[in-house]
Amino acid sequence: MANNTITFDPAAGVAYSANLTINTGANFKSTFKVINPDRSAFNLTGYTGSSEMVKSVAVGATNPATASFTVGFTSAAGGEFNLSMGSTTTRTIKPGRYVWDMLVSSGSTIYRMAEGNILVVAGISSAP
């Protein structure tokens, strides 16, 4: 079951905005279902995906990627994918505000499918 549904119009090319929260030291996963404006599934068969996050900074500043998400197509024909990051990676991310985006590509066709803010929070308690 997707927890974010994206209506994506390739002609407009506007990325879907989704704000995410990552808890440091925990596994992260967020699922998405992409649909066309007519509500049919956006077929992602043959596409590959990449997604990164960077520290949110002043406009014009540049940062190398803080971390990369794993992009998994759970049903490419059904327009479903997920972003995930393991606890080993989230443990190394400092709490704060970040930005992210997700690109899908097939040949020379590239779409910026989704983007948004990420709030990274540290837990108060730790597992024994």
Side-chain angles (χ1 to χ4, degrees):
M1 180 86 168
N3 59 8
N4 291 285
T5 300
I6 298 171
T7 301
F8 186 72
D9 181 358
V14 178
Y16 174 81
S17 181
N19 295 327
L20 308 172
T21 300
I22 294 176
N23 294 302
T24 59
N27 289 324
F28 171 83
K29 186 174 184 180
S30 187
T31 58
F32 296 82
K33 180 172 178 69
V34 185
I35 59 174
N36 292 299
D38 68 2
R39 310 286 297 157
S40 64
F42 187 94
N43 190 340
L44 292 166
T45 301
Y47 284 84
T48 59
S50 65
S51 181
E52 295 182 338
M53 63 183 277
V54 298
K55 184 75 174 162
S56 181
V57 294
V59 174
T62 58
N63 267 2
T66 300
S68 296
F69 293 97
T70 298
V71 178
F73 292 94
T74 54
S75 173
E80 297 176 15
F81 69 90
N82 63 56
L83 301 179
S84 61
M85 190 179 292
S87 61
T88 304
T89 302
T90 65
R91 188 173 290 115
T92 65
I93 303 171
K94 294 182 179 176
R97 187 166 307 279
Y98 295 77
V99 294
W100 73 279
D101 70 358
M102 192 267 195
L103 303 176
V104 295
S105 61
S106 178
S108 63
T109 302
I110 301 172
Y111 296 123
R112 194 156 146 242
M113 192 69 55
E115 66 180 3
N117 295 304
I118 298 176
L119 180 61
V120 176
V121 295
I124 297 168
S125 303
S126 61

